[in-house]
């Protein structure tokens, strides 16, 4: 099914447009001053070691988050955004597809994603993102219901919490409807699509607006020998689809976007209108006896971000679908040792099973 060549443009972090007045820094520079310069809007270029950049970022973090309470979800998010802006003015030199600083990590993505560039700059957070992604890619993740680890390609959303995956896999075990074809909208690293194959679906369509996700799913399908059962599409919701299926699955972003979103934020935050567009079309892609499954969470409600719940709103305001089941599972709290913020205390994930009317 996937033998046709990929006609998509893979996303990568692009070298920033810094101004000409870049300030060069080494481990001898005054770190606190460097942090203030970043915060004031200056671009800084690390000249000697990777650790110099790490040290300046640590000072910048202290400067930006000084006196802020981590329990305040909204205020903390604003500070994170301020830190993100300032830290993206800290630059790293890349030469011959490696970081040109002493004691830097080796990042395979610099080879794979930049064959056209020799000598360029990336920002420290871009490099950190590439590094973290490379580590996940090398290591892979073992998901509930799957035998093989998934190795997500750069820039692809992959879950690091598994509650919704357990919920879906348990639902799949009991699903006794037809299993000829399913479609996974917003497939990310393809985990739900591969779960469906594993639970007996003959073929799945894995679709995402993000091109990197398509490459990721293709690579995994090829690796585990199921390319003929996985059809990938880069598509905004149902835009590129024309087939009816036995099951439409969507694990959408769970939080409403407060500003314009791009890149991987598309996996976390939804723009207004996304659910209206989804529900308007989904029924056209479901066979008579088919189902629609939406995975969701009360995260936005429990944090007071919004009282709105897109699935409840659809059911209350339209008569396009009837609810046939609702499963819930309490989210496992993070271990105390990880010192994570305790936003998840009252969070649960939900599986909404609907049928078109
Ligand atoms: C929360 S992630 C879910 C990923 C995966 N299905 C899972 O369960 O882990 C949401 C996914 O939806 C994709 N997405 C967001 N907006 C989309 C749209 N308009 N059309 C298609 N996919 C979209 C994102 O790129 C992301 O991969």
């Amino acid at each position: 099914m996937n033998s046709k060549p990929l006609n998509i443009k893979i996303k990568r972090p692009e070298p920033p447009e810094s101004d000409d007045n870049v300030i060069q820094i080494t481990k001898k520079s005054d770190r606190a001053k460097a942090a203030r310069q970043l915060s004031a809007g200056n671009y800084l270029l690390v000249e000697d070691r990777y650790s110099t950049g790490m040290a300046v970022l640590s000072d910048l973090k202290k400067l930006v988050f000084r006196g802020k309470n981590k329990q305040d979800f909204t205020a903390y998010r604003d500070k994170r955004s301020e830190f993100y802006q300032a830290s993206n003015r800290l630059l790293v030199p890349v030469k011959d597809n490696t970081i040109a600083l002493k004691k830097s990590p080796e990042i395979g993505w610099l080879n794979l994603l930049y064959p056209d560039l020799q000598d360029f700059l990336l920002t420290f957070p871009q490099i950190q993102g590439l590094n973290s992604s490379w580590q996940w890619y090398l290591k892979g993740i073992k998901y509930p219901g799957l035998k093989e680890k998934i190795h997500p390609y750069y820039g692809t959303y992959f879950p690091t919490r598994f509650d919704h995956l357990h919920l879906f896999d348990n639902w799949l075990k009991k699903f006794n409807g037809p299993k000829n074809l399913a479609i996974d909208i917003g497939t990310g690293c393809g985990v739900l699509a591969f779960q469906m194959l594993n639970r007996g679906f003959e073929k799945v369509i894995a679709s995402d607006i993000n091109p990197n996700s398509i490459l990721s799913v293709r690579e995994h399908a090829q690796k585990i020998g199921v390319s003929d059962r996985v059809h990938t599409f880069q598509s905004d919701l149902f835009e590129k689809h024309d087939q009816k299926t036995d099951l439409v699955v969507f694990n959408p972003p769970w939080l409403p976007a407060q500003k314009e979103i791009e890149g991987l934020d598309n996996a976390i935050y939804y723009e207004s209108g996304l659910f209206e567009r989804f529900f308007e079309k989904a029924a056209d892609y479901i066979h008579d006896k088919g189902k629609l499954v939406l995975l969701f969470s009360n995260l936005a409600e429990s944090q007071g971000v919004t009282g709105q719940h897109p699935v409840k709103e659809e059911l209350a305001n339209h008569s396009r679908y009837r609810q046939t089941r609702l499963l819930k599972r309490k989210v496992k709290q993070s271990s105390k040792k990880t010192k994570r913020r305790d936003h998840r205390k009252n969070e649960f994930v939900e599986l909404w099973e609907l049928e078109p009317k």
Side-chain angles (χ1 to χ4, degrees), residues 157 159 164 186-188 191-192 208-209 235-237 251-252 266-267 274:
Y157 176 84
H164 68 287
T187 192
V191 56
L192 305 178
D208 205 292
I209 198 164
S235 170
D236 178 5
L237 299 179
N251 175 22
N266 258 317
L274 179 79

Side-chain angles (χ1 to χ4, degrees), residues 143 155-161 164-165 184-193 195 207-210 213 234-238 249-254 261 263-271 274 277 295:
Y143 285 119
T156 302
Y157 176 84
F158 58 94
T160 51
R161 295 178 152 267
H164 68 287
L165 301 176
D184 179 13
I185 295 288
T187 192
C189 68
V191 56
L192 305 178
Q195 280 183 321
S207 179
D208 205 292
I209 198 164
N210 175 359
S213 154
Q234 184 191 0
S235 170
D236 178 5
L237 299 179
F238 296 96
V249 181
F250 188 25
N251 175 22
W254 291 347
I261 47 171
L264 264 186
D265 277 352
N266 258 317
I268 314 285
Y269 303 103
Y270 61 85
E271 277 167 349
L274 179 79
R277 290 199 295 124
L295 295 161

Side-chain angles (χ1 to χ4, degrees), residues 28-267:
K28 294 194 178 130
S29 308
D30 177 341
R31 278 164 44 182
K33 181 175 167 196
R36 286 196 301 277
Q37 286 170 321
L38 286 174
S39 179
N42 297 293
Y43 282 89
L44 270 61
L45 173 64
V46 183
E47 288 265 275
D48 55 351
R49 300 159 178 261
Y50 194 75
S51 55
T52 301
M54 293 296 281
V56 171
L57 281 190
S58 157
D59 273 41
L60 178 66
K61 198 172 236 164
K62 280 186 217 146
L63 181 73
V64 172
F65 288 96
R66 205 174 28 193
K68 284 290 162 291
N69 181 359
K70 289 187 180 179
Q71 302 299 328
D72 182 344
F73 191 61
T74 315
Y76 197 71
R77 197 175 49 197
D78 291 347
K79 282 290 156 189
R80 273 218 312 260
S81 154
E82 191 183 324
F83 177 72
Y84 175 80
Q85 307 277 335
S87 58
N88 267 297
R89 291 189 280 270
L90 184 61
L91 306 173
V92 179
V94 179
K95 284 199 176 85
D96 300 327
N97 302 102
T98 50
I99 301 171
L101 295 175
K102 279 187 204 133
K103 300 210 171 148
S104 294
E106 273 179 37
I107 307 174
W109 296 133
L110 293 174
N111 241 323
L112 294 170
L113 298 173
Y114 302 92
D116 53 325
L117 296 179
Q118 302 303 318
D119 191 347
F120 59 103
L121 300 176
L122 288 174
T123 75
F124 225 90
Q126 285 175 327
I127 287 287
Q128 286 176 308
L130 285 163
N131 186 31
S132 150
S133 156
W134 185 246
Q135 299 310 317
W136 282 108
Y137 183 70
L138 291 180
K139 193 164 157 233
I141 306 132
K142 175 86 182 69
Y143 285 119
L146 298 185
K147 291 185 212 91
E148 321 266 358
K149 282 182 171 182
I150 290 186
H151 298 260
Y153 197 84
Y154 172 77
T156 302
Y157 176 84
F158 58 94
T160 51
R161 295 178 152 267
F162 299 167
D163 305 271
H164 68 287
L165 301 176
H166 286 293
L167 202 58
F168 185 54
D169 199 46
N170 288 335
W171 180 88
L172 273 174
K173 274 187 220 164
K174 293 182 189 141
F175 176 70
N176 56 10
K179 292 184 178 174
N180 296 316
L181 180 65
I183 181 165
D184 179 13
I185 295 288
T187 192
C189 68
V191 56
L192 305 178
F194 292 112
Q195 280 183 321
M196 291 191 281
L197 281 189
N198 227 30
R199 295 281 173 211
F201 273 86
E202 258 168 54
K203 283 180 182 165
V204 291
I205 298 170
S207 179
D208 205 292
I209 198 164
N210 175 359
N212 295 35
S213 154
I214 301 312
L215 189 57
S216 196
V217 174
R218 279 193 164 217
E219 203 174 85
H220 186 68
Q222 210 156 31
K223 199 165 157 191
I224 65 170
V226 295
S227 292
D228 55 337
R229 296 170 62 203
V230 182
H231 199 173
T232 51
F233 278 93
Q234 184 191 0
S235 170
D236 178 5
L237 299 179
F238 296 96
E239 193 185 32
K240 304 262 174 72
H241 300 293
D242 56 10
Q243 264 180 299
K244 282 197 188 280
T245 64
D246 304 310
L247 178 61
V248 171
V249 181
F250 188 25
N251 175 22
W254 291 347
L255 295 169
Q258 315 279 11
K259 52 183 171 95
E260 218 174 286
I261 47 171
E262 53 175 284
L264 264 186
D265 277 352
N266 258 317

Side-chain angles (χ1 to χ4, degrees), residues 325-351:
R325 284 182 91 178
L326 171 60
L327 307 177
K328 291 188 184 189
R329 182 182 164 111
K330 203 163 177 359
V331 169
K332 238 167 94 189
Q333 277 192 56
S334 18
S335 115
K336 293 242 163 23
K337 279 187 206 148
T338 63
K339 289 190 186 163
R340 280 190 186 213
R341 279 160 291 136
D342 205 6
H343 293 147
R344 314 249 169 193
K345 211 167 170 179
N346 301 312
E347 191 193 340
F348 46 83
V349 285
E350 304 165 337
L351 184 151

